[in-house]
Amino acid sequence: MNTLYAIWIVLFFFGVVMVSLDYAAETVFEIGGIPAFGVIGAALILLVISSILNWIFKQAWAARNEIDIGG
């Protein structure tokens, strides 16, 4: 689990750095008019957030299945 936390932190950090770099340099690299660093950075941030939410849902589902309903 510690490895997963570390990967989340690293990916989130790189995402923030890429968005910040794109914002500070006012679009360093564009592909078809789209700021590449900003888009890739935002995608990394969204990947981390969706992965965290998926993990929380997985844990909640496992806890739900462990509860004895008593019926």
Side-chain angles (χ1 to χ4, degrees), residues 21-45:
L21 177 68
D22 190 55
Y23 181 73
E26 296 180 6
T27 308
V28 175
F29 183 63
E30 288 187 1
I31 297 176
I34 299 172
F37 285 144
V39 170
I40 294 171
L44 285 174
I45 292 169

Side-chain angles (χ1 to χ4, degrees), residues 10-64:
V10 168
L11 286 177
F12 189 82
F13 175 75
F14 279 131
V16 169
V17 167
M18 290 181 81
V19 170
S20 300
L21 177 68
D22 190 55
Y23 181 73
E26 296 180 6
T27 308
V28 175
F29 183 63
E30 288 187 1
I31 297 176
I34 299 172
F37 285 144
V39 170
I40 294 171
L44 285 174
I45 292 169
L46 289 174
L47 175 73
V48 169
I49 291 171
S50 65
S51 177
I52 290 169
L53 291 174
N54 186 31
W55 182 260
I56 291 170
F57 180 77
K58 179 182 174 185
Q59 294 297 318
W61 192 262
R64 176 190 174 275

